[in-house]
Amino acid sequence: MSHDPRPEDRHPRAGFVASLIEPLAHELLLALAQHHLACTQQLQLVLGPDRTREAVADRLDKLRREQLVDCVVRAPSRRTDVWFLTSKGARITQGWPALRGRPPYPITSATTARRKAPHSLTVLRAYLAFTADARRRGNAHAHFGWTPQVPHAIGDRGKLVADAVLHATPADVQRQCTLRAFVEVDRSPGGGERLAAKMIAYARLWAYQPPAGGQRRQVAGPLWRRWYPVFPRLLLILTGAPQQTLRSRIGELQDMAVHHPLVAALAGEVPLGAVTLDDLEAHGATSPVWVPLVGTQPCSWTEL
C-alpha cells in the first residue's frame, strides 16, 4: 500500500548531514536500528571500550534534540533511560548497508517502547554476553551478526518470531565456518510454559513442508530452506527466577526433548542447548556452560 508522504518526509536526509558524518552519532543510530531498544550503559557496551559512557550520553542528548532518537524512563527504577529511534531516525537508517534484509523497525511510539522494553533489554543482555566473550578472546572483529525479532511463517496462518537469530564465525571453530543459531530468552513469566510452547513451534518450523502445487511448487523440502542452508541450532537462555528453579526447568526441557514426539524429532537432527543468563554473563558463551537437551555434558554453544 502506497501513501503520499508529508512534506517533511519527502527528503528524510535533509538537515541530518552533520549528525551522520560524526562517527559516534552514526554508531549510535546503527546500534538502535539493530537492537531496537537499549539503555545508555548497554549502548556504551555495544560500541565497545573506545567509547565512554559520558560521551555516549552526551551524543544521545544531541540526537534527541535533532529528533532522531527518543527515550522513555523504565519502571520501576525510574532512573534508566531506554532509547529508541524516532520515525525520522528509522527512515534515515533504513537504507544503510548493515541493515539490509532485516525486518522493519518495530518501535512506533513511546507506548510500544515501554511495552517491549523489559524483554528487549534482556535479549540485549544476552547479545552483550556473546560480544564480551568474543572481545575477551581477541575475536572482536570476527563476523558476528545478531538480528532480533525475526519472523518465520509456518504454513498460511502460523508464525514463529525468534527472539534473535545469531550468525557468527568463532575463532575456535575449524574451517572458519559460519554457525547460525536461534536464540530464545525466557524471563520466566508464567513458569516454563512459554519456552515449552516455543520449542514446539521451532519443531513445527523444522518439520513443515509447503503443500505441492500452486505458487509454492518451486519450494523443495522444508520451508525453512528459504532462509537457511542448515537449520540453525536452538539456544535457550533462562532468567527471572532463582538459579535452582532455572536449572530444574532446564531438566524439564531435557525431558521434553526426549518424550515430546515432534521436539524429539527436532532434537535428533538439530543441536539444542540451554543456559542461565547469569552463567552466560559470568563465564562467557564459549565456556562449557551450555546444557545439551540431548546429553548431560556441558559444553560451549559452538560444540552442541
Side-chain angles (χ1 to χ4, degrees):
M1 180 180 297
S2 61
H3 69 282
D4 184 26
R6 293 172 296 179
E8 64 268 27
D9 295 342
R10 290 186 182 131
H11 304 287
R13 293 182 182 273
F16 302 123
V17 175
S19 293
L20 297 183
I21 63 174
E22 198 272 300
L24 180 54
H26 183 278
E27 292 171 10
L28 287 169
L29 292 173
L30 179 60
L32 287 172
Q34 290 177 322
H35 298 289
H36 307 162
L37 291 161
C39 64
T40 306
Q41 182 180 14
Q42 287 179 322
L43 285 168
Q44 188 264 323
L45 293 173
V46 168
L47 270 53
D50 293 338
R51 300 298 189 183
T52 67
R53 178 166 179 158
E54 292 74 17
V56 168
D58 180 68
R59 200 63 190 88
L60 285 169
D61 286 338
K62 292 178 181 177
L63 289 171
R64 189 181 188 186
R65 291 196 294 270
E66 295 169 14
Q67 300 181 356
L68 295 178
V69 305
D70 203 351
C71 69
V72 294
V73 178
R74 184 186 181 193
S77 69
R78 301 190 179 278
R79 298 186 198 177
T80 303
D81 289 336
V82 179
W83 296 91
F84 58 96
L85 296 180
T86 63
S87 58
K88 287 183 180 179
R91 286 197 302 274
I92 286 216
T93 58
Q94 66 184 358
W96 290 2
L99 301 172
R100 287 174 186 164
R102 287 178 174 253
Y105 185 73
I107 308 300
T108 57
S109 67
T111 300
T112 303
R114 289 189 185 94
R115 177 172 55 85
K116 290 179 174 287
H119 190 70
S120 294
L121 297 183
T122 307
V123 173
L124 183 50
R125 278 181 62 190
Y127 167 80
L128 290 170
F130 278 90
T131 55
D133 182 73
R135 287 167 180 160
R136 283 195 299 267
R137 298 168 64 84
N139 197 24
H141 301 292
H143 180 54
F144 190 90
W146 181 278
T147 307
Q149 294 295 298
V150 182
H152 301 79
I154 308 175
D156 293 330
R157 298 183 180 179
K159 184 173 72 171
L160 179 150
V161 180
D163 280 345
V165 174
L166 163 70
H167 61 274
T169 307
D172 58 346
V173 174
Q174 292 183 353
R175 300 187 303 278
Q176 292 292 292
C177 61
T178 297
L179 300 180
R180 294 175 177 83
F182 293 121
V183 180
E184 285 297 323
V185 179
D186 187 75
R187 297 184 299 117
S188 300
E193 287 79 6
R194 174 192 175 274
L195 200 53
K198 273 307 229 3
M199 284 186 64
I200 295 171
Y202 278 107
R204 290 180 57 220
L205 175 64
W206 171 76
Y208 178 74
Q209 298 193 33
Q215 295 181 348
R216 295 179 176 173
R217 186 185 302 274
Q218 74 276 14
V219 178
L223 184 63
W224 57 262
R225 291 190 186 277
R226 290 184 178 183
W227 307 294
Y228 308 106
V230 176
F231 196 85
R233 61 196 63 203
L234 178 56
L235 307 179
L236 309 171
I237 302 172
L238 286 69
T239 188
Q243 286 286 93
Q244 183 176 356
T245 300
L246 297 179
R247 292 194 174 97
S248 295
R249 287 182 186 162
I250 291 175
E252 294 170 0
L253 294 173
Q254 290 178 307
D255 290 341
M256 189 176 181
V258 173
H259 298 297
H260 189 286
L262 192 55
V263 175
L266 171 71
E269 299 291 336
V270 177
L272 312 177
V275 69
T276 69
L277 183 54
D278 284 349
D279 283 343
L280 183 65
E281 291 178 322
H283 303 289
T286 52
S287 296
V289 292
W290 296 87
V291 179
L293 297 195
V294 177
T296 58
Q297 189 66 36
C299 61
S300 164
W301 79 273
T302 63
E303 297 170 343
L304 287 168

